[in-house]
Amino acid sequence: MMEPSKAKLDSAQLRLLNQAIEAMPDAPVQYLLRGEEWLVHEQWERARADFEQAIALTERLLAESAWGYIYQGYIDRANAGLRHLGSDLLKEQYG
C-alpha cells in the first residue's frame, strides 16, 4: 500500500477541491479542505497558503453573519492545520 505522502499530487480529492475553488473562490471551506489534503501530501507551503486563505475569507464572513459558530469552526480548524504544519516543520529541521 502506498504511503499517503507518496500519493500522486493530482489525486481525485485535489482535482475536486480545485474545481470547487474555481467555482466558488470565496468559500473558505474549500481552502480549508484543500489545505488538509496538502498536509497529506506533505506540501507544507501550499497547505499554509490555503489555511491562511481560509482564515482570511472566514474572518470576512464572520463579521457579516449570524452563523458565527460555523465560521469560528473553520478558523479553529485552519489554525489547527497551521499548528500541525509548525510541528512537522520542526521535526523535519531538528529530527
Side-chain angles (χ1 to χ4, degrees):
M1 177 177 259
M2 187 181 301
E3 297 275 334
S5 63
K6 306 292 185 204
K8 292 166 48 169
L9 288 182
D10 66 345
S11 71
Q13 292 92 337
L14 286 172
R15 283 194 304 276
L16 290 172
L17 289 165
N18 288 337
Q19 290 170 0
I21 288 170
E22 188 176 311
M24 297 184 306
D26 293 330
V29 71
Q30 314 299 1
Y31 294 93
L32 174 62
L33 295 173
R34 191 173 68 177
E36 292 173 345
E37 187 65 18
W38 287 130
L39 285 178
V40 170
H41 294 287
E42 298 180 1
Q43 297 294 306
W44 314 129
E45 290 307 312
R46 289 175 172 176
R48 180 181 313 280
D50 277 351
F51 289 138
E52 290 173 350
Q53 181 68 10
I55 290 169
L57 290 170
T58 301
E59 286 175 341
R60 275 188 268 159
L61 292 170
L62 185 59
E64 304 166 357
S65 174
W67 294 91
Y69 64 93
I70 292 172
Y71 294 127
Q72 187 59 53
Y74 292 167
I75 291 171
D76 294 345
R77 196 161 155 182
N79 280 324
L82 289 170
R83 282 191 304 277
H84 181 82
L85 273 172
S87 67
D88 279 352
L89 292 174
L90 285 174
K91 286 179 198 172
E92 194 173 283
Q93 287 177 352
Y94 300 106

